[in-house]
Structure formats: structure tokens, C-alpha cells
Amino acid sequence: MPRPVTLFTGQWADIPIAELLPKVKAMGFDGVELACWGDHFDVQAALTQDGYVEGVWDLLKKNDLVAYSISAHLVGQAICDPIDSRHEAILPPHVWGDGDAEGVRQRAAQEMIDTGKACRKFIDAGKAYMADKPAGTGKAVVNGFTGSSIWHALYAFPPTTQEYLQAGFDDFGKRFAPILDSFEKDDVYFALEVHPTEIAFDIASAERAIEAVGGHKRFGFNYDPSHLGYQGVDYVKFIRHFADKLHHAHMKDAWWGHGNGDVGVFGGHTDFCDARRYWDFRSVGRGDVNFGEVIVALNDIGYTGPLSIEWEDGRMDRFHGATESCAYVKDLDFPVNEAAFDAAFDRDNQ
């Protein structure tokens, strides 16, 4: 059976979940990857309110939708970042608190620990409903970001030593060790979306991030080719290189090399959709990501989880775009052959 195609609800958090889910079904999706913002999935309510996670599943059942993961990108960003006024806009008030930078980072880390517990509770509550649905990877997964204390040193000027950069990876390792240990106790996996502004943004930094957490069993990746391609990173190699660390997969497209030459890969401090930009996000199938190669590589490593569309295209109506993206991915995905294609040549098989 082809993998379920889900919609990441992060870019739809302005629509209440009860109103959004019927629209998700109408667009052709099999399920959702629930964002932990808006009213889509409330971590603290999941942990403290009787019946909350069961109520989320009731909404999913009502709309014949599945779910395999939740996503905590926004709170994750604050765990390792230098904190500034931009973070206040994306964080829950109880995490932002008084805005003291170290306090924000520590509260964000605790919120991520709580998110792992809420994920476990949510997945467990849906076991009966999901019993006859595609199994996915069989893992409870929290997708998210980490932030980074060294992203500002990307260009390495003023001259930046490897010791300086290593201190940033060490900071990440120290802050995430308790989170991953808690995830281990709750049997949950953290899947970092490798992405600019995070501790890992390409293959080399992803390897270093794994080292920083001592190869922790609960640390891995949410694959997303859109953040790799425009950097010049081999996004198909990423799948094969981290085959045993791939816990979830986003289908998200981007194009690159389409600007007028005024703006480079760093973005030129321009807004998305500025025609001068070297790269931009596109509706799935309209960019430069070769999703045929992505699907083959995911098949080759045995990835059985959902293909979750993270839809972003500032030039297109999102309902039109998400609908066409869902149809595109469903048409592109295919079940794996159970026998060698040339097995019928053998007389014993005839």
C-alpha cells in the first residue's frame, strides 16, 4: 500500500482544527501532522485535561483522518537560540514568561519534554482507531527545530575557529540530552527538520549534531528536501546517508536559480516572493525538487511512514495548492515490489 499522505497543519493554524479537518479531507488527504500551536494540539491540555486527546481523535475519526506525529517547531526554535523579540511572537506565554533569554530557553526545553509526554499519550489514545490503518513507521514522533547558538557565525567572519563552532554543538548537546532522555523513557522520537537557523542545516552539520548528542537513539530527522536543494546539498544522498535516523518525511518543494541575479542564496534581506530572489518555496511539483528520486530513495531505505505535505507557496491560493500537491504526491508514490521484476524468467516460478 502506498504511504498515507498527510498535511502538516502549521501553516493553517489560523483555522480552528474542527473547521480545518473537513477541508483537509475534501482536499484529498489521508491525515494530518498536527502542529502544537493555534488550537490544533495543545501540549499542556493534553497532559492536564481529562478527555483532551480523546477529543482530538474524535475529530479525526469524524473526518476519517489518520495521524502519526505532532510537531513542535516553534518552541524548539527557542531551546538553543539567542532570544530576541521575534521569539515572543511564536512562543506560548508560559514559555516566553518575562522574556529573560536563559529562562526562555529553559522553559522551552521543559515544554519540549512535555511535548514528548503529550505525544505518547496522544498516540496511545488512538491505538484502537489506528489498528486497521497503515502502520506508518510504528514510532511516536515529535518533529521540530532546535535553534542554534552559532547560526550567526555561518559565514565565519570575524574569523571563527572550530573550537568556537564546537562550543555551539556542545551547547546543543547539553540542552537536548535531558529532552532525549525523557523521550527515551516515553518511547518517543525527536525528528529535527534539518533547516537553516537550526544546529543542523546540511549533511555535514547533521553528522555533527548526531555526534553532539552521542548518537542518542531518540534523535533523528524529519526529512525535507526543500531546505537542502537551494543550498546545493544533495537531498537524495541525505536520505541514504541517514537511513536509520529518518523518522518522518516532509514533501515540500522549492525552486532555485530563478531570480534576476540581484539576490543570492542568503536571501538578500528580501521577502519571500520577491522576483529578485535566487530561491523560493513552491507548491509541490512546481519547483526543482526531483520527487521521483526522493520516492525511490525512501523506498530503498524502507521508509514506511507518512508523506507529509508542508505546503508553502506565497504566489498561490493555499487550498488550490494543497489540493494539487496532495494529488501530485499520491500519483507519484507507489508500493514496493514484493518480488524481483525478472523472477518470472525462472521456470520454477512459472
Side-chain angles (χ1 to χ4, degrees):
M1 178 184 296
R3 288 161 284 238
V5 177
T6 59
L7 178 70
F8 174 41
T9 69
Q11 288 80 1
W12 308 73
D14 58 312
I15 304 175
I17 191 66
E19 181 182 337
L20 177 62
L21 292 184
K23 300 177 186 296
V24 171
K25 187 65 179 180
M27 288 188 284
F29 288 92
D30 302 309
V32 288
E33 170 194 347
L34 290 170
C36 296
W37 53 90
D39 77 337
H40 293 188
F41 190 87
D42 186 322
V43 168
Q44 296 305 321
L47 294 178
T48 62
Q49 293 182 17
D50 290 342
Y52 176 82
V53 293
E54 291 80 5
V56 176
W57 280 111
D58 286 343
L59 285 173
L60 293 169
K61 293 175 193 176
K62 181 180 178 180
N63 293 283
D64 189 28
L65 295 168
V66 295
Y68 300 90
S69 65
I70 61 175
S71 290
H73 294 69
L74 303 187
V75 72
Q77 188 66 40
I79 294 173
C80 295
D81 259 10
I83 302 300
D84 61 42
S85 60
R86 297 172 301 162
H87 294 82
E88 183 176 9
I90 66 171
L91 293 174
H94 67 276
V95 174
W96 177 255
D98 61 3
D100 172 73
E102 184 56 28
V104 171
R105 286 188 285 266
Q106 292 183 14
R107 288 188 292 274
Q110 182 59 54
E111 184 75 2
M112 188 64 79
I113 288 173
D114 290 348
T115 302
K117 296 181 182 301
C119 181
R120 180 76 269 163
K121 187 175 180 180
F122 173 66
I123 295 298
D124 286 349
K127 281 184 176 178
Y129 171 65
M130 292 289 288
D132 61 349
K133 304 293 191 297
T137 63
K139 302 171 183 174
V141 179
V142 174
N143 301 310
F145 288 155
T146 61
S148 170
S149 64
I150 53 173
W151 174 251
H152 67 281
L154 175 69
Y155 190 71
F157 190 86
T160 308
T161 66
Q162 282 299 317
E163 288 76 15
Y164 181 94
L165 296 172
Q166 186 57 47
F169 283 96
D170 292 344
D171 176 74
F172 156 70
K174 180 178 71 173
R175 293 182 187 279
F176 261 79
I179 296 169
L180 297 172
D181 288 345
S182 179
F183 276 38
E184 172 69 23
K185 292 176 184 177
D186 294 321
D187 190 18
V188 177
Y189 291 83
F190 178 77
L192 167 62
E193 186 171 332
V194 175
H195 182 293
T197 77
E198 310 314 319
I199 195 64
F201 53 91
D202 57 14
I203 291 174
S205 55
E207 289 176 335
R208 208 160 170 177
I210 292 172
E211 293 173 1
V213 294
H216 202 294
K217 172 184 176 183
R218 297 296 167 168
F219 179 76
F221 302 116
N222 173 43
Y223 174 71
D224 189 327
S226 71
H227 305 298
L228 302 173
Y230 68 79
Q231 294 187 67
V233 178
D234 188 331
Y235 54 85
V236 177
K237 180 180 180 180
F238 187 99
I239 295 172
R240 301 184 191 281
H241 191 72
F242 296 112
D244 62 340
K245 287 287 189 179
L246 217 68
H247 303 319
H248 194 262
H250 272 179
M251 300 290 103
K252 185 178 174 186
D253 210 347
W255 70 1
W256 50 90
H258 294 266
N260 71 351
D262 287 357
V263 178
V265 71
F266 295 128
H269 293 308
T270 60
D271 293 329
F272 289 116
C273 300
D274 188 315
R276 298 171 295 170
R277 287 175 62 90
Y278 173 74
W279 69 273
D280 232 319
F281 295 123
R282 297 303 313 275
S283 190
V284 182
R286 292 182 180 266
D288 292 319
V289 173
N290 187 329
F291 283 99
E293 291 191 12
V294 168
I295 293 298
V296 168
L298 290 173
N299 282 347
D300 284 351
I301 70 166
Y303 174 77
T304 56
L307 303 176
S308 187
I309 290 173
E310 182 181 9
W311 189 86
E312 291 185 355
D313 190 328
R315 292 179 170 92
M316 186 182 293
D317 174 80
R318 60 180 169 176
F319 287 98
H320 176 90
T323 301
E324 72 167 23
S325 295
C326 181
Y328 176 84
V329 172
K330 284 192 171 185
D331 185 60
L332 197 63
D333 193 25
F334 55 89
V336 177
N337 194 6
E338 297 297 332
F341 70 87
D342 57 357
F345 296 157
D346 191 323
R347 284 194 302 273
D348 291 341
N349 293 327
Q350 294 172 8

